[in-house]
Amino acid sequence: MILKSRINDNSYAWVKIPKTATRSYSELVDNTIPHSHMPYSVMTKKFGEYPCVTVVRDPYTRFVSSMRHFFGALNAQITHPHHVNHLIYSIPLNNTTNFCNFFYKFYDKNCISFDPMVHHKIAYHNIQMYHPFFQTQTSMIRTATNPLIFKYENLNEFNIWLETEIGIDTSKLSYVGKSEKIIPFNIDLESEEIKSLVKYLFEEDYVQFNYV
């Protein structure tokens, strides 16, 4: 999404990383533009070169939020509209170990998939796993030069920037799309197994954005 300042002539390519409150901010900025999560490399091809701005999040809490989003869709039996007709790899939800081993089988470090189409095939029954969940935040802005990075853990800094640089009143911000803290089947999202899996899948995010 291109953010055009209402204060000056500046414009920015806003890379909306999933599970960083992007839907809430999108509705605040312009709710007429379809919500999407495009890497910077795709945005430049579509819109041209603009300075990059984004919000990143602790990889572990982002992963947990992503899984709760998915588990919530399973509970509600909501079918994601994209790629549901693809052949699928069924995620084992019977226990935490099998769940983790599934991802070790199909992904190398930093979400490099052994099967180029695995992102589009992961599902449980007819519920599609949203593939940007398994993309490092680093990869989404890799081609950007000196990106302006804010952190989800301190969104007040992003709010100040939106107000002073873009001219948006963030007092009207309403958080939407928050994942319910449901019991995720038989998966213990607070287990050491899950934490180790996240550090494996998103290793470069821990380093790049100084998370521990």
Side-chain angles (χ1 to χ4, degrees):
M1 181 178 186
I2 303 302
L3 283 176
K4 295 183 179 181
S5 177
R6 304 170 186 177
I7 298 173
N8 51 50
D9 295 328
N10 294 338
S11 293
Y12 299 85
W14 175 24
V15 176
K16 297 191 285 187
I17 295 172
K19 311 313 293 182
T20 59
T22 55
R23 187 176 297 277
S24 300
Y25 281 100
S26 293
E27 294 198 1
L28 178 69
V29 173
D30 188 344
N31 60 12
T32 66
I33 299 176
H35 187 57
S36 64
H37 300 286
M38 285 187 285
Y40 183 75
S41 58
V42 175
M43 294 188 71
T44 55
K45 292 178 182 177
K46 187 172 182 178
F47 303 113
E49 295 278 349
Y50 291 94
C52 175
V53 61
T54 195
V55 175
V56 299
R57 182 175 182 176
D58 179 281
Y60 170 68
T61 62
R62 178 173 171 263
F63 181 83
V64 169
S65 180
S66 298
M67 291 304 97
R68 284 177 174 152
H69 179 105
F70 176 61
F71 294 133
L74 290 178
N75 278 350
Q77 286 297 292
I78 300 171
T79 303
H80 195 280
H82 301 299
H83 311 296
V84 293
N85 292 322
H86 275 283
L87 293 174
I88 63 174
Y89 297 124
S90 184
I91 302 173
L93 299 179
N94 57 326
N95 64 60
T96 303
T97 298
N98 288 342
F99 177 85
C100 291
N101 286 341
F102 172 88
F103 291 104
Y104 286 125
K105 178 179 179 180
F106 291 109
Y107 289 93
D108 203 346
K109 285 186 177 182
N110 298 318
C111 296
I112 304 300
S113 58
F114 298 118
D115 177 346
M117 288 299 292
V118 71
H119 289 314
H120 303 296
K121 297 178 181 178
I122 297 177
Y124 184 80
H125 295 311
N126 66 330
I127 308 300
Q128 182 74 27
M129 178 72 81
Y130 191 36
H131 69 84
F133 288 167
F134 296 100
Q135 184 173 9
T136 65
Q137 298 170 90
T138 302
S139 70
M140 293 194 71
I141 60 171
R142 197 182 307 280
T143 60
T145 302
N146 298 321
L148 183 58
I149 299 172
F150 296 94
K151 289 196 170 183
Y152 179 88
E153 294 76 19
N154 190 6
L155 285 175
N156 186 54
E157 291 186 357
F158 185 48
N159 291 345
I160 291 172
W161 181 82
L162 286 172
E163 291 173 355
T164 58
E165 174 61 19
I166 307 301
I168 292 174
D169 181 6
T170 61
S171 67
K172 298 178 181 179
L173 182 65
S174 174
Y175 288 98
V176 297
K178 293 186 70 173
S179 301
E180 294 183 20
K181 294 185 177 181
I182 60 172
I183 298 174
F185 297 79
N186 294 313
I187 311 303
D188 182 3
L189 291 176
E190 297 182 0
S191 69
E192 291 304 314
E193 284 183 282
I194 292 291
K195 292 176 182 178
S196 295
L197 173 67
V198 173
K199 286 192 174 181
Y200 174 83
L201 291 176
F202 303 98
E203 181 182 63
E204 65 181 357
D205 288 347
Y206 280 97
V207 175
Q208 183 71 24
F209 306 121
N210 297 314
Y211 285 108
V212 178

